[in-house]
Amino acid sequence: MKTVNSYNFAGKRALVRVDFNVPLNERFEITDDTRIKATIPTINKILNDGGSVILMSHLGRPKDGPTDKYSLKHLVTPLSVVFGRPVKFADDCIGQSAIDQAATLQPGEILLLENLRFYKEEEKGDVAFAEKLSKLGDVWVNDAFGTAHRAHASTAVIGQFFEDRICGFVMQAEIDNAQRVLEHAERPFTAIMGGSKVSDKILLIEKLLDKVDNLIIGGGMTYTFTLAEGGKIGKSICEPDKVELAKELIKKAAEKGVKIYMPVDNICADDFSNDANRQTVAKGEIPDGWEGLDIGPESAKLFQSVIESSKTVLWNGPMGVFEFPNFANGTNAIADAVVKATEENGAFSLIGGGDSAAAVNNAGYGDRVSYVSTGGGALLEYMEGKVLPGVAALQ
């Protein structure tokens, strides 16, 4: 793969696929700019070389073409602040405005294209659409690891129209850090799996059973395991059709010598809301009409002790409904332990994107762990051993 460091962008218009799918509030202000900040080194390298930058991204999931809510025009001002120069905007990613502005772009200038997904052809991986995009630049840079698992027009299909296909710093760092955890992990290696569904993580868990010493399971998926062990889970989220699978995973872990840690207590609520009545109960003893929304204090202590003595930590998925402050304690306790392992025990800690990244960043710990991934689904698929179209297109 050609990398940003090994390429001279002088006099080139770099068409850069970024992942600016950032959360916006009702006033269209960015509430988490992690993904934007992650692309700064790639964009600055191109500009400092004497090149110009044409940024292309999607935002949200627009269903019916152009929608104000999903317009990337809302990012023009914040991006101008981040890069210390005015960012130009084309209100149609393949329209005349984009063609004209790209053609006259000068070294050091930045042009942002409108949301790619305003065209259905983007997600369909349409070749003709990819070719139209390709005509805007001289060289293609893919720095959108978060969408690398999709064979979309801008993330993969477009590669065939460029002689120079460059791997951006974000993409490179994501691959390097995932490889470090999968192939060069220092022991003890602990993986923490959270989130609501076993089915989402099943392939990754199976792969990790060959790699890890400890597997901590939290979040909504624990209730499927509790059911597998004959416990009572009230009205907690659960996948009854995955109970046999959960039993099989427990058996496989035992055969491979992997220690599985599950919550020994849960905080449950009589309603799915922050203000619901709460009680702490032992594992498998959630009363009818109540649902588990977080791990309990004893579970948090148990998990913390395992994490703090680890040398490699992979964390993907929260321990509970951390969006509700009353049910965020378990997730915050894990974040504390991962930071402690990193800073005091010299552990390498990789935070898998999505909710785990949000939890770490919200706690202000983003720069106190080894690496926070920007790609949720893409990281999962890469770690499961799947070929990512966005990575393959660079090779």
Side-chain angles (χ1 to χ4, degrees), residues 315-381:
W315 180 19
N316 187 282
M319 295 294 102
V321 186
F322 79 105
E323 299 87 344
F324 296 156
N326 284 331
F327 301 99
N329 291 339
T331 300
N332 291 339
I334 297 300
D336 288 338
V338 173
V339 167
K340 196 169 178 185
T342 310
E343 294 182 341
E344 295 180 20
N345 201 35
F348 178 77
S349 51
L350 172 59
I351 313 302
D355 289 339
S356 316
V360 165
N361 289 326
N362 291 348
Y365 290 160
D367 54 356
R368 295 177 66 187
V369 294
S370 306
Y371 190 72
V372 180
S373 172
T374 57
L379 182 73
L380 284 185
E381 291 198 19

Short mmCIF file of all heavy atoms in Angstrom, two decimals, residues 315-381:
data_model
loop_
_atom_site.label_atom_id
_atom_site.label_comp_id
_atom_site.label_asym_id
_atom_site.label_seq_id
_atom_site.Cartn_x
_atom_site.Cartn_y
_atom_site.Cartn_z
N TRP A 315 -11.44 -3.31 24.14
CA TRP A 315 -12.77 -3.04 24.69
C TRP A 315 -13.73 -2.67 23.57
O TRP A 315 -13.50 -1.72 22.84
CB TRP A 315 -12.71 -1.92 25.73
CG TRP A 315 -14.04 -1.58 26.34
CD1 TRP A 315 -15.17 -2.35 26.36
CD2 TRP A 315 -14.39 -0.38 27.06
NE1 TRP A 315 -16.19 -1.71 27.02
CE2 TRP A 315 -15.75 -0.50 27.46
CE3 TRP A 315 -13.69 0.77 27.38
CZ2 TRP A 315 -16.41 0.50 28.17
CZ3 TRP A 315 -14.35 1.77 28.09
CH2 TRP A 315 -15.68 1.62 28.49
N ASN A 316 -14.81 -3.43 23.45
CA ASN A 316 -15.82 -3.12 22.45
C ASN A 316 -17.21 -3.29 23.04
O ASN A 316 -17.67 -4.40 23.25
CB ASN A 316 -15.64 -4.03 21.22
CG ASN A 316 -16.56 -3.63 20.09
OD1 ASN A 316 -17.75 -3.92 20.11
ND2 ASN A 316 -16.03 -2.95 19.09
N GLY A 317 -17.86 -2.18 23.33
CA GLY A 317 -19.25 -2.21 23.80
C GLY A 317 -19.40 -1.86 25.27
O GLY A 317 -18.61 -2.29 26.11
N PRO A 318 -20.44 -1.05 25.60
CA PRO A 318 -20.65 -0.60 26.98
C PRO A 318 -21.19 -1.71 27.89
O PRO A 318 -21.67 -2.74 27.42
CB PRO A 318 -21.68 0.52 26.82
CG PRO A 318 -22.43 0.18 25.58
CD PRO A 318 -21.45 -0.52 24.68
N MET A 319 -21.12 -1.47 29.20
CA MET A 319 -21.58 -2.45 30.19
C MET A 319 -23.06 -2.32 30.50
O MET A 319 -23.65 -3.20 31.13
CB MET A 319 -20.79 -2.27 31.51
CG MET A 319 -19.32 -2.58 31.39
SD MET A 319 -18.97 -4.33 31.05
CE MET A 319 -18.60 -4.28 29.29
N GLY A 320 -23.65 -1.20 30.08
CA GLY A 320 -25.06 -0.97 30.35
C GLY A 320 -25.56 0.17 29.49
O GLY A 320 -24.91 0.57 28.53
N VAL A 321 -26.73 0.70 29.87
CA VAL A 321 -27.32 1.80 29.09
C VAL A 321 -26.65 3.09 29.57
O VAL A 321 -27.21 3.85 30.36
CB VAL A 321 -28.85 1.84 29.29
CG1 VAL A 321 -29.48 2.89 28.38
CG2 VAL A 321 -29.46 0.47 28.99
N PHE A 322 -25.42 3.31 29.10
CA PHE A 322 -24.61 4.40 29.65
C PHE A 322 -25.11 5.79 29.26
O PHE A 322 -24.70 6.78 29.82
CB PHE A 322 -23.12 4.23 29.26
CG PHE A 322 -22.79 4.65 27.86
CD1 PHE A 322 -22.11 5.83 27.61
CD2 PHE A 322 -23.15 3.86 26.78
CE1 PHE A 322 -21.80 6.23 26.32
CE2 PHE A 322 -22.85 4.25 25.48
CZ PHE A 322 -22.17 5.44 25.25
N GLU A 323 -26.05 5.84 28.30
CA GLU A 323 -26.65 7.13 27.94
C GLU A 323 -27.49 7.68 29.11
O GLU A 323 -27.73 8.88 29.20
CB GLU A 323 -27.56 7.01 26.70
CG GLU A 323 -26.84 6.54 25.46
CD GLU A 323 -26.76 5.02 25.31
OE1 GLU A 323 -27.01 4.30 26.31
OE2 GLU A 323 -26.46 4.55 24.22
N PHE A 324 -27.97 6.78 29.99
CA PHE A 324 -28.68 7.19 31.21
C PHE A 324 -27.65 7.31 32.34
O PHE A 324 -27.04 6.30 32.71
CB PHE A 324 -29.73 6.14 31.62
CG PHE A 324 -30.85 5.94 30.64
CD1 PHE A 324 -31.57 4.73 30.63
CD2 PHE A 324 -31.23 6.92 29.74
CE1 PHE A 324 -32.62 4.53 29.74
CE2 PHE A 324 -32.28 6.73 28.85
CZ PHE A 324 -32.98 5.53 28.84
N PRO A 325 -27.43 8.51 32.89
CA PRO A 325 -26.41 8.68 33.94
C PRO A 325 -26.54 7.69 35.10
O PRO A 325 -25.54 7.23 35.65
CB PRO A 325 -26.64 10.12 34.42
CG PRO A 325 -27.23 10.82 33.23
CD PRO A 325 -28.08 9.80 32.53
N ASN A 326 -27.77 7.33 35.46
CA ASN A 326 -27.97 6.40 36.59
C ASN A 326 -27.53 4.98 36.28
O ASN A 326 -27.42 4.14 37.18
CB ASN A 326 -29.42 6.40 37.04
CG ASN A 326 -29.77 7.66 37.83
OD1 ASN A 326 -28.91 8.23 38.50
ND2 ASN A 326 -31.02 8.09 37.75
N PHE A 327 -27.30 4.70 34.99
CA PHE A 327 -26.90 3.35 34.60
C PHE A 327 -25.57 3.37 33.82
O PHE A 327 -25.29 2.49 33.01
CB PHE A 327 -28.01 2.69 33.77
CG PHE A 327 -29.32 2.61 34.52
CD1 PHE A 327 -30.31 3.55 34.31
CD2 PHE A 327 -29.53 1.63 35.48
CE1 PHE A 327 -31.51 3.52 35.02
CE2 PHE A 327 -30.72 1.58 36.21
CZ PHE A 327 -31.71 2.53 35.97
N ALA A 328 -24.76 4.40 34.12
CA ALA A 328 -23.47 4.55 33.44
C ALA A 328 -22.29 4.12 34.31
O ALA A 328 -21.16 4.09 33.85
CB ALA A 328 -23.29 6.00 33.00
N ASN A 329 -22.57 3.79 35.59
CA ASN A 329 -21.46 3.51 36.52
C ASN A 329 -20.60 2.33 36.08
O ASN A 329 -19.37 2.38 36.20
CB ASN A 329 -22.01 3.24 37.94
CG ASN A 329 -22.58 4.51 38.56
OD1 ASN A 329 -22.23 5.61 38.14
ND2 ASN A 329 -23.46 4.35 39.54
N GLY A 330 -21.23 1.28 35.56
CA GLY A 330 -20.47 0.10 35.14
C GLY A 330 -19.52 0.43 34.00
O GLY A 330 -18.34 0.06 34.03
N THR A 331 -20.04 1.14 33.00
CA THR A 331 -19.22 1.52 31.84
C THR A 331 -18.08 2.45 32.27
O THR A 331 -16.94 2.30 31.83
CB THR A 331 -20.10 2.19 30.76
OG1 THR A 331 -21.11 1.25 30.36
CG2 THR A 331 -19.30 2.62 29.56
N ASN A 332 -18.40 3.41 33.17
CA ASN A 332 -17.37 4.33 33.65
C ASN A 332 -16.29 3.60 34.45
O ASN A 332 -15.11 3.95 34.38
CB ASN A 332 -18.00 5.44 34.50
CG ASN A 332 -18.85 6.39 33.65
OD1 ASN A 332 -18.66 6.47 32.44
ND2 ASN A 332 -19.78 7.08 34.27
N ALA A 333 -16.71 2.58 35.21
CA ALA A 333 -15.74 1.80 35.99
C ALA A 333 -14.77 1.06 35.08
O ALA A 333 -13.57 0.97 35.36
CB ALA A 333 -16.48 0.79 36.89
N ILE A 334 -15.29 0.56 33.96
CA ILE A 334 -14.42 -0.12 32.98
C ILE A 334 -13.44 0.89 32.37
O ILE A 334 -12.25 0.62 32.24
CB ILE A 334 -15.27 -0.78 31.86
CG1 ILE A 334 -16.17 -1.87 32.44
CG2 ILE A 334 -14.37 -1.34 30.76
CD1 ILE A 334 -15.46 -3.01 33.13
N ALA A 335 -13.96 2.08 32.02
CA ALA A 335 -13.09 3.12 31.46
C ALA A 335 -11.96 3.46 32.44
O ALA A 335 -10.79 3.57 32.05
CB ALA A 335 -13.91 4.37 31.12
N ASP A 336 -12.30 3.62 33.72
CA ASP A 336 -11.29 3.91 34.76
C ASP A 336 -10.22 2.82 34.79
O ASP A 336 -9.02 3.10 34.87
CB ASP A 336 -11.95 3.99 36.15
CG ASP A 336 -12.79 5.24 36.33
OD1 ASP A 336 -12.56 6.22 35.60
OD2 ASP A 336 -13.69 5.24 37.21
N ALA A 337 -10.68 1.56 34.74
CA ALA A 337 -9.74 0.43 34.84
C ALA A 337 -8.84 0.34 33.61
O ALA A 337 -7.64 0.03 33.72
CB ALA A 337 -10.52 -0.88 35.01
N VAL A 338 -9.39 0.63 32.43
CA VAL A 338 -8.58 0.58 31.20
C VAL A 338 -7.49 1.66 31.25
O VAL A 338 -6.34 1.41 30.89
CB VAL A 338 -9.47 0.73 29.94
CG1 VAL A 338 -8.61 0.84 28.69
CG2 VAL A 338 -10.44 -0.44 29.82
N VAL A 339 -7.86 2.84 31.74
CA VAL A 339 -6.88 3.93 31.88
C VAL A 339 -5.79 3.53 32.88
O VAL A 339 -4.60 3.73 32.63
CB VAL A 339 -7.58 5.24 32.32
CG1 VAL A 339 -6.55 6.28 32.76
CG2 VAL A 339 -8.42 5.80 31.17
N LYS A 340 -6.21 2.94 33.99
CA LYS A 340 -5.25 2.53 35.03
C LYS A 340 -4.28 1.47 34.49
O LYS A 340 -3.07 1.54 34.72
CB LYS A 340 -6.01 1.99 36.25
CG LYS A 340 -5.16 1.90 37.50
CD LYS A 340 -6.00 1.63 38.73
CE LYS A 340 -5.12 1.48 39.96
NZ LYS A 340 -5.90 1.10 41.16
N ALA A 341 -4.83 0.50 33.75
CA ALA A 341 -3.98 -0.55 33.16
C ALA A 341 -2.96 0.08 32.20
O ALA A 341 -1.79 -0.31 32.18
CB ALA A 341 -4.84 -1.56 32.42
N THR A 342 -3.42 1.06 31.43
CA THR A 342 -2.55 1.71 30.44
C THR A 342 -1.46 2.54 31.11
O THR A 342 -0.28 2.42 30.78
CB THR A 342 -3.40 2.63 29.52
OG1 THR A 342 -4.53 1.90 29.03
CG2 THR A 342 -2.59 3.14 28.34
N GLU A 343 -1.86 3.38 32.08
CA GLU A 343 -0.92 4.32 32.68
C GLU A 343 -0.04 3.70 33.75
O GLU A 343 1.13 4.06 33.88
CB GLU A 343 -1.70 5.50 33.27
CG GLU A 343 -2.39 6.34 32.20
CD GLU A 343 -3.13 7.56 32.75
OE1 GLU A 343 -3.43 7.58 33.97
OE2 GLU A 343 -3.42 8.48 31.98
N GLU A 344 -0.60 2.76 34.51
CA GLU A 344 0.17 2.21 35.64
C GLU A 344 0.78 0.84 35.36
O GLU A 344 1.79 0.48 35.95
CB GLU A 344 -0.73 2.14 36.89
CG GLU A 344 -1.16 3.53 37.37
CD GLU A 344 -2.06 3.47 38.61
OE1 GLU A 344 -2.04 2.44 39.31
OE2 GLU A 344 -2.78 4.46 38.86
N ASN A 345 0.15 0.09 34.43
CA ASN A 345 0.66 -1.26 34.18
C ASN A 345 1.33 -1.36 32.80
O ASN A 345 1.78 -2.42 32.41
CB ASN A 345 -0.50 -2.28 34.28
CG ASN A 345 0.00 -3.70 34.52
OD1 ASN A 345 0.99 -3.90 35.22
ND2 ASN A 345 -0.67 -4.68 33.94
N GLY A 346 1.35 -0.21 32.08
CA GLY A 346 2.00 -0.21 30.77
C GLY A 346 1.28 -1.05 29.73
O GLY A 346 1.88 -1.54 28.78
N ALA A 347 -0.04 -1.23 29.91
CA ALA A 347 -0.81 -2.05 28.97
C ALA A 347 -1.04 -1.30 27.65
O ALA A 347 -1.03 -0.07 27.61
CB ALA A 347 -2.16 -2.43 29.57
N PHE A 348 -1.24 -2.06 26.58
CA PHE A 348 -1.68 -1.47 25.31
C PHE A 348 -3.20 -1.63 25.27
O PHE A 348 -3.72 -2.75 25.37
CB PHE A 348 -1.05 -2.19 24.12
CG PHE A 348 -1.53 -1.63 22.80
CD1 PHE A 348 -1.04 -0.43 22.31
CD2 PHE A 348 -2.53 -2.28 22.06
CE1 PHE A 348 -1.50 0.11 21.11
CE2 PHE A 348 -2.99 -1.76 20.87
CZ PHE A 348 -2.47 -0.56 20.39
N SER A 349 -3.91 -0.51 25.14
CA SER A 349 -5.38 -0.56 25.18
C SER A 349 -5.98 -0.03 23.88
O SER A 349 -5.68 1.08 23.46
CB SER A 349 -5.89 0.26 26.37
OG SER A 349 -5.31 1.56 26.38
N LEU A 350 -6.80 -0.86 23.26
CA LEU A 350 -7.49 -0.48 22.02
C LEU A 350 -8.99 -0.42 22.31
O LEU A 350 -9.59 -1.40 22.76
CB LEU A 350 -7.21 -1.52 20.93
CG LEU A 350 -8.00 -1.39 19.62
CD1 LEU A 350 -7.76 -0.04 18.95
CD2 LEU A 350 -7.64 -2.51 18.65
N ILE A 351 -9.57 0.76 22.07
CA ILE A 351 -11.00 0.94 22.30
C ILE A 351 -11.70 0.84 20.95
O ILE A 351 -11.47 1.66 20.06
CB ILE A 351 -11.31 2.32 22.93
CG1 ILE A 351 -10.37 2.62 24.11
CG2 ILE A 351 -12.77 2.41 23.34
CD1 ILE A 351 -10.39 1.62 25.24
N GLY A 352 -12.54 -0.19 20.80
CA GLY A 352 -13.29 -0.36 19.55
C GLY A 352 -14.32 0.73 19.42
O GLY A 352 -14.98 1.07 20.41
N GLY A 353 -14.50 1.26 18.21
CA GLY A 353 -15.32 2.47 17.98
C GLY A 353 -16.72 2.43 18.57
O GLY A 353 -17.02 1.65 19.47
N GLY A 354 -17.57 3.31 18.06
CA GLY A 354 -18.97 3.35 18.48
C GLY A 354 -19.15 3.78 19.92
O GLY A 354 -18.54 4.75 20.38
N ASP A 355 -19.98 3.02 20.65
CA ASP A 355 -20.35 3.40 22.02
C ASP A 355 -19.16 3.39 22.98
O ASP A 355 -19.10 4.22 23.88
CB ASP A 355 -21.44 2.46 22.56
CG ASP A 355 -22.79 2.70 21.89
OD1 ASP A 355 -22.96 3.80 21.33
OD2 ASP A 355 -23.64 1.81 21.93
N SER A 356 -18.23 2.45 22.81
CA SER A 356 -17.06 2.41 23.71
C SER A 356 -16.23 3.67 23.55
O SER A 356 -15.77 4.26 24.52
CB SER A 356 -16.17 1.20 23.42
OG SER A 356 -16.93 0.05 23.24
N ALA A 357 -16.04 4.07 22.29
CA ALA A 357 -15.27 5.29 22.01
C ALA A 357 -15.97 6.50 22.62
O ALA A 357 -15.33 7.35 23.25
CB ALA A 357 -15.10 5.48 20.51
N ALA A 358 -17.30 6.55 22.47
CA ALA A 358 -18.08 7.66 23.04
C ALA A 358 -17.94 7.69 24.56
O ALA A 358 -17.75 8.75 25.17
CB ALA A 358 -19.55 7.55 22.64
N ALA A 359 -18.00 6.51 25.18
CA ALA A 359 -17.89 6.43 26.64
C ALA A 359 -16.54 6.93 27.12
O ALA A 359 -16.44 7.69 28.10
CB ALA A 359 -18.12 4.99 27.10
N VAL A 360 -15.48 6.52 26.43
CA VAL A 360 -14.12 6.93 26.81
C VAL A 360 -13.93 8.44 26.59
O VAL A 360 -13.39 9.15 27.45
CB VAL A 360 -13.07 6.12 26.03
CG1 VAL A 360 -11.70 6.75 26.12
CG2 VAL A 360 -13.02 4.69 26.55
N ASN A 361 -14.40 8.92 25.44
CA ASN A 361 -14.24 10.35 25.13
C ASN A 361 -15.10 11.22 26.05
O ASN A 361 -14.66 12.29 26.49
CB ASN A 361 -14.58 10.62 23.66
CG ASN A 361 -13.51 10.07 22.73
OD1 ASN A 361 -12.34 10.06 23.06
ND2 ASN A 361 -13.92 9.58 21.57
N ASN A 362 -16.31 10.76 26.36
CA ASN A 362 -17.19 11.53 27.26
C ASN A 362 -16.59 11.66 28.65
O ASN A 362 -16.80 12.65 29.35
CB ASN A 362 -18.58 10.88 27.36
CG ASN A 362 -19.37 10.99 26.06
OD1 ASN A 362 -18.97 11.74 25.18
ND2 ASN A 362 -20.46 10.26 25.94
N ALA A 363 -15.84 10.62 29.05
CA ALA A 363 -15.20 10.65 30.37
C ALA A 363 -13.90 11.45 30.35
O ALA A 363 -13.24 11.62 31.37
CB ALA A 363 -14.93 9.22 30.85
N GLY A 364 -13.53 11.95 29.15
CA GLY A 364 -12.30 12.74 29.04
C GLY A 364 -11.04 11.89 29.01
O GLY A 364 -9.94 12.37 29.29
N TYR A 365 -11.20 10.60 28.68
CA TYR A 365 -10.07 9.67 28.73
C TYR A 365 -9.46 9.36 27.36
O TYR A 365 -8.60 8.50 27.23
CB TYR A 365 -10.51 8.33 29.34
CG TYR A 365 -10.83 8.37 30.82
CD1 TYR A 365 -11.62 7.39 31.41
CD2 TYR A 365 -10.32 9.39 31.63
CE1 TYR A 365 -11.92 7.41 32.77
CE2 TYR A 365 -10.62 9.41 32.99
CZ TYR A 365 -11.41 8.42 33.56
OH TYR A 365 -11.69 8.45 34.89
N GLY A 366 -9.94 10.06 26.31
CA GLY A 366 -9.50 9.73 24.95
C GLY A 366 -8.00 9.67 24.76
O GLY A 366 -7.48 8.82 24.05
N ASP A 367 -7.28 10.58 25.46
CA ASP A 367 -5.82 10.61 25.28
C ASP A 367 -5.09 9.85 26.39
O ASP A 367 -3.87 9.92 26.50
CB ASP A 367 -5.33 12.07 25.22
CG ASP A 367 -5.77 12.90 26.41
OD1 ASP A 367 -6.54 12.36 27.25
OD2 ASP A 367 -5.37 14.07 26.52
N ARG A 368 -5.84 9.08 27.19
CA ARG A 368 -5.19 8.33 28.28
C ARG A 368 -5.25 6.81 28.06
O ARG A 368 -4.86 6.03 28.92
CB ARG A 368 -5.83 8.70 29.62
CG ARG A 368 -5.57 10.17 29.98
CD ARG A 368 -6.26 10.58 31.26
NE ARG A 368 -5.73 9.89 32.42
CZ ARG A 368 -6.26 9.98 33.65
NH1 ARG A 368 -7.33 10.73 33.85
NH2 ARG A 368 -5.72 9.32 34.65
N VAL A 369 -5.76 6.43 26.87
CA VAL A 369 -5.69 5.03 26.46
C VAL A 369 -4.79 4.99 25.22
O VAL A 369 -4.44 6.03 24.66
CB VAL A 369 -7.10 4.46 26.14
CG1 VAL A 369 -7.94 4.41 27.40
CG2 VAL A 369 -7.80 5.28 25.06
N SER A 370 -4.40 3.80 24.78
CA SER A 370 -3.42 3.73 23.69
C SER A 370 -4.01 4.16 22.35
O SER A 370 -3.39 4.90 21.60
CB SER A 370 -2.87 2.30 23.57
OG SER A 370 -2.35 1.88 24.81
N TYR A 371 -5.21 3.68 22.04
CA TYR A 371 -5.81 4.04 20.75
C TYR A 371 -7.33 3.91 20.82
O TYR A 371 -7.85 2.91 21.30
CB TYR A 371 -5.27 3.15 19.62
CG TYR A 371 -5.66 3.64 18.25
CD1 TYR A 371 -5.08 4.78 17.70
CD2 TYR A 371 -6.63 2.98 17.50
CE1 TYR A 371 -5.44 5.25 16.44
CE2 TYR A 371 -7.00 3.44 16.24
CZ TYR A 371 -6.41 4.58 15.71
OH TYR A 371 -6.78 5.05 14.48
N VAL A 372 -8.02 4.95 20.32
CA VAL A 372 -9.48 4.91 20.23
C VAL A 372 -9.83 4.78 18.75
O VAL A 372 -9.54 5.67 17.95
CB VAL A 372 -10.13 6.19 20.81
CG1 VAL A 372 -11.65 6.12 20.69
CG2 VAL A 372 -9.73 6.38 22.28
N SER A 373 -10.42 3.66 18.38
CA SER A 373 -10.78 3.43 16.98
C SER A 373 -11.96 4.31 16.58
O SER A 373 -12.85 4.57 17.38
CB SER A 373 -11.15 1.96 16.77
OG SER A 373 -11.67 1.76 15.46
N THR A 374 -11.95 4.75 15.32
CA THR A 374 -13.08 5.54 14.80
C THR A 374 -14.04 4.66 14.01
O THR A 374 -15.05 5.12 13.53
CB THR A 374 -12.58 6.67 13.87
OG1 THR A 374 -11.83 6.09 12.81
CG2 THR A 374 -11.73 7.67 14.62
N GLY A 375 -13.71 3.38 13.87
CA GLY A 375 -14.54 2.50 13.05
C GLY A 375 -15.16 1.37 13.84
O GLY A 375 -14.49 0.41 14.19
N GLY A 376 -16.45 1.48 14.14
CA GLY A 376 -17.13 0.44 14.92
C GLY A 376 -17.25 -0.86 14.15
O GLY A 376 -16.54 -1.82 14.37
N GLY A 377 -18.19 -0.88 13.18
CA GLY A 377 -18.43 -2.09 12.40
C GLY A 377 -17.23 -2.54 11.59
O GLY A 377 -16.97 -3.73 11.45
N ALA A 378 -16.48 -1.56 11.07
CA ALA A 378 -15.31 -1.90 10.26
C ALA A 378 -14.25 -2.62 11.09
O ALA A 378 -13.65 -3.60 10.64
CB ALA A 378 -14.72 -0.64 9.63
N LEU A 379 -14.04 -2.14 12.32
CA LEU A 379 -13.05 -2.78 13.20
C LEU A 379 -13.49 -4.20 13.53
O LEU A 379 -12.68 -5.13 13.50
CB LEU A 379 -12.87 -1.97 14.48
CG LEU A 379 -11.82 -2.54 15.44
CD1 LEU A 379 -10.41 -2.29 14.91
CD2 LEU A 379 -11.95 -1.94 16.83
N LEU A 380 -14.77 -4.37 13.83
CA LEU A 380 -15.29 -5.72 14.14
C LEU A 380 -15.02 -6.67 12.98
O LEU A 380 -14.51 -7.77 13.18
CB LEU A 380 -16.80 -5.67 14.41
CG LEU A 380 -17.27 -5.12 15.76
CD1 LEU A 380 -18.78 -5.27 15.87
CD2 LEU A 380 -16.61 -5.83 16.92
N GLU A 381 -15.37 -6.22 11.77
CA GLU A 381 -15.22 -7.10 10.61
C GLU A 381 -13.75 -7.39 10.32
O GLU A 381 -13.38 -8.51 9.95
CB GLU A 381 -15.92 -6.51 9.38
CG GLU A 381 -17.44 -6.51 9.53
CD GLU A 381 -18.17 -6.36 8.20
OE1 GLU A 381 -17.57 -6.60 7.13
OE2 GLU A 381 -19.37 -5.99 8.25
#
